[in-house]
Amino acid sequence: PIPCVPWQSQTSGQYQRRVHGGLTELGYGNNAIKMETTATYDQDDDTWIIHTPTPLAQKYWITNSAVHAKWIIVFAQTYVHGKHEGLHTFLVRMRDDKMQIQPGVRIEDMGMKMGCNGVDNGKIWFNKVKIPRTAMLNKLANLDEHGVFHCAIKSLRGRFIKVADGLLSGRICIAAMGTSNAKFTLTTCLRYAATRLTVGPKGESDTPILSYQLFQKALIPLLASTLSIGLGLNYIKNRYAGVEGPKDDHEVMILATVIKPIATWNQAVVGNVTRERAGGQGYLSVNRLWEGIAFGHSGMTAEGDNSVLMQKVAKELGSRLQTGRHKFPGRRAETRNLNKLFNMIVLREKKCLMGLGMAMKTKMTAGKSLFEVWMLEESDAVQRTAKSYGERIILEQSIKAADNINDPKLKSVMQSLVELYAVDIILKDSWFITSETVSPKSSCSWGTRRDLLCRELAPFSISICDSFGIPEVSFGPIATNWEKYNVHHNFGERMANYPLIG
């Protein structure tokens, strides 16, 4: 029996990872529990028959499948002796050791995408492909040598949810990649802004664009959000690894599910803003700012559509609230702006989550269905509830990290960055005004505070970016020596004969 993943196949005396997951189908992206691919047990020869019954059942967007993978972990509706046993996973050979496609398997490349074309996403069909009975991944369920199916999880939905929990690490990885890319694009643009001189008070080209308020207000809040998201992500990674916080698998699932949308949405905004603020240089492929846009959009729908994941976050939070497992942080003494801002953001989370629950109860008591209320009437409240929770977690962990810094100068800068992140949240969400948590006059004051923080933090922005430790060889010309780059005919490419470093 096969107890776990990932799998390694031995080739020429060396182990090489050649396995990928096959969950998504053409007709079943978000509603994966209803996918059509089948795994039917054949008692005559003790095998499973893997089959794609319709065009909508083809495995779709499967990473590394079009060229590289030898094996696929197939998610399939499982049938044993005519009984449907829910969704389970199976190890299926796609290619042999010479990379020839196996009989009964059909593979196609997805085609050109708007980015990430180094990843060979593919489509896969199975025409009654037979695999051994022992090729079922049996950590959660198993079919023994007597043809008896065993699974401790009784409900079919429960089995699917447990199988799908394996996606959590992928969501954390995508959040990490998105945050790293945001750091890269911010560093590129800020370095350029510090060296690109343009019109100053006397009409001469003697003033870096980084000193302009327009530029500072566009980039410095994004630097603050990216740093804060990174700190929140570190906490979630530690929770997932079991090295920090209480052992609560359900809460870890919610944390991993909420961080991916927040990180990749931030990544895409960073990509858009840095591309625009870098002007024509941002449009050149060699400067790599486009990657924030293309990769950000990839991350928005990889391992779950962001907005759909936020629905799951809100649903799970509601369940925890009903059972008394969701605890809101206590009110902090408002001896500084950070505490005052934190209290407001906790209040938003509390009112949004409890308000959504009350709206659901009231409308369903009046005769409306869960689907009608959740999907057709309260979608804005659902999204805001999940986002409020995620941003509170990020802010909470960012404050903790900043407060624990020993160096007083570094501590001051980090606390200002975290404060800017919190102020920006409040100014961007109309809920704080409409709920009268923040008055119009107070909102203006917070806007003034944001401007001041941007101005005070701008001189530190290059040092902050240097702390990311990004290898110099990674950067395009505008982050290094863009004047030197343009001395020679470069065909819009990095030229080996004219290095930008040194």
Side-chain angles (χ1 to χ4, degrees):
I2 299 173
C4 60
V5 293
W7 279 96
Q8 297 174 319
S9 59
Q10 190 171 13
T11 306
S12 303
Q14 295 183 349
Y15 286 95
Q16 299 179 355
R17 293 181 185 271
R18 294 291 180 89
V19 184
H20 60 95
L23 173 63
T24 301
E25 296 182 1
L26 174 61
Y28 304 91
N30 296 320
N31 196 20
I33 194 172
K34 294 296 184 181
M35 68 172 60
E36 295 183 29
T37 299
T38 58
T40 305
Y41 178 58
D42 187 342
Q43 192 172 12
D44 292 340
D45 56 4
D46 198 28
T47 61
W48 293 102
I49 302 172
I50 308 299
H51 187 59
T52 304
T54 71
L56 291 178
Q58 63 185 270
K59 295 298 181 182
Y60 209 70
W61 277 114
I62 308 305
T63 302
N64 294 329
S65 64
V67 177
H68 294 98
K70 293 181 179 180
W71 301 83
I72 177 173
I73 296 172
V74 176
F75 291 71
Q77 305 290 356
T78 305
Y79 294 88
V80 179
H81 308 309
K83 182 183 177 182
H84 182 214
E85 297 289 0
L87 202 68
H88 297 280
T89 48
F90 302 83
L91 187 67
V92 181
R93 188 85 191 228
M94 292 171 51
R95 295 181 175 91
D96 61 22
D97 288 342
K98 295 182 179 180
M99 302 307 291
Q100 298 301 304
I101 297 174
Q102 295 289 85
V105 180
R106 171 183 164 194
I107 306 172
E108 295 179 3
D109 195 294
M110 289 295 301
M112 288 292 290
K113 298 156 288 188
M114 64 180 285
C116 299
N117 282 299
V119 180
D120 60 312
N121 302 98
K123 321 170 191 176
I124 308 167
W125 292 256
F126 304 96
N127 184 14
K128 299 180 179 177
V129 175
K130 289 208 167 191
I131 61 173
R133 171 182 55 79
T134 54
M136 179 183 193
L137 274 65
N138 67 345
K139 182 178 181 180
L140 302 174
N142 188 39
L143 186 67
D144 67 24
E145 64 273 21
H146 304 295
V148 179
F149 182 83
H150 304 273
C151 184
I153 305 168
K154 299 307 176 185
S155 77
L156 299 189
R157 181 168 184 82
R159 292 173 184 177
F160 167 73
I161 290 172
K162 197 65 179 177
V163 168
D165 280 350
L167 299 174
L168 296 184
S169 60
R171 290 170 187 159
I172 293 173
C173 288
I174 291 169
M177 289 187 286
T179 303
S180 295
N181 177 258
K183 292 177 179 178
F184 175 83
T185 50
L186 283 165
T187 301
T188 297
C189 191
L190 284 163
R191 282 188 175 189
Y192 180 57
T195 57
R196 178 70 162 89
L197 303 180
T198 186
V199 61
K202 297 180 180 179
E204 301 295 329
S205 290
D206 57 6
T207 302
I209 56 177
L210 180 55
S211 65
Y212 289 174
Q213 186 189 49
L214 174 69
F215 188 93
Q216 292 174 1
K217 290 181 69 173
L219 267 291
I220 304 304
L222 291 176
L223 182 61
S225 67
T226 300
L227 273 165
S228 297
I229 289 168
L231 293 171
L233 176 61
N234 286 342
Y235 166 73
I236 292 170
K237 287 190 285 189
N238 287 341
R239 288 291 304 275
Y240 180 80
V243 297
E244 182 177 355
K247 180 173 174 54
D248 186 336
D249 291 343
H250 186 249
E251 185 181 29
V252 169
M253 179 272 291
I254 299 172
L255 290 169
T257 303
V258 79
I259 194 64
K260 199 275 283 189
I262 291 177
T264 53
W265 276 328
N266 178 73
Q267 176 191 8
V269 172
V270 168
N272 279 322
V273 173
T274 54
R275 207 265 3 120
E276 181 182 0
R277 294 272 57 86
Q281 292 285 4
Y283 199 64
L284 279 174
S285 177
V286 71
N287 288 320
R288 300 188 63 187
L289 294 182
W290 65 272
E291 294 175 12
I293 301 171
F295 295 175
H297 278 263
S298 171
M300 286 179 192
T301 50
E303 300 293 352
D305 175 280
N306 279 358
S307 295
V308 175
L309 290 181
M310 291 304 233
Q311 286 186 323
K312 180 171 179 59
V313 169
K315 174 182 175 294
E316 300 300 333
L317 288 175
S319 173
R320 289 179 72 85
L321 185 66
Q322 284 182 317
T323 56
R325 289 185 294 164
H326 185 69
K327 306 297 182 184
F328 298 103
R331 185 173 180 82
R332 299 186 178 184
E334 297 187 351
T335 54
R336 57 177 181 168
N337 280 344
L338 262 179
N339 289 2
K340 185 181 295 185
L341 292 161
F342 181 74
N343 287 340
M344 286 192 285
I345 286 170
V346 171
L347 181 64
R348 177 185 61 163
E349 178 193 358
K350 184 181 297 186
K351 287 194 172 183
C352 285
L353 181 53
M354 296 179 73
L356 175 60
M358 185 58 67
M360 296 292 297
K361 181 178 180 180
T362 300
K363 292 184 177 183
M364 290 174 66
T365 301
K368 293 185 177 180
S369 68
L370 171 63
F371 179 87
E372 185 179 5
V373 180
W374 186 267
M375 297 298 291
L376 306 181
E377 296 185 2
E378 295 293 340
S379 61
D380 288 347
V382 168
Q383 295 294 312
R384 177 172 276 126
T385 296
K387 188 177 182 182
S388 298
Y389 165 76
E391 289 178 340
R392 188 268 294 172
I393 290 287
I394 291 166
L395 179 59
E396 188 173 31
Q397 297 306 315
S398 298
I399 292 173
K400 179 181 177 181
D403 286 350
N404 285 335
I405 295 173
N406 293 322
D407 182 277
K409 291 184 178 179
L410 177 58
K411 185 174 188 173
S412 176
V413 171
M414 282 300 299
Q415 287 175 335
S416 293
L417 281 162
V418 176
E419 182 184 345
L420 177 56
Y421 170 65
V423 172
D424 204 47
I425 287 174
I426 285 173
L427 292 176
K428 285 180 176 177
D429 190 346
S430 62
W431 181 91
F432 290 97
I433 293 287
T434 58
S435 67
E436 299 183 344
T437 302
V438 175
S439 67
K441 182 178 180 180
S442 180
S443 178
C444 291
S445 297
W446 285 119
T448 301
R449 179 63 180 165
R450 178 174 62 180
D451 294 349
L452 177 62
L453 287 168
C454 288
R455 185 163 65 250
E456 290 178 346
L457 288 167
F460 296 100
S461 60
I462 301 302
S463 296
I464 293 168
C465 289
D466 288 344
S467 74
F468 299 151
I470 301 170
E472 288 295 319
V473 72
S474 304
F475 291 109
I478 61 170
T480 51
N481 191 332
W482 48 272
E483 182 178 357
K484 180 181 177 181
Y485 172 77
N486 284 287
V487 169
H488 309 283
H489 185 15
N490 52 53
F491 303 95
E493 301 288 347
R494 290 284 297 267
M495 306 298 288
N497 293 333
Y498 307 113
L500 301 177
I501 302 171

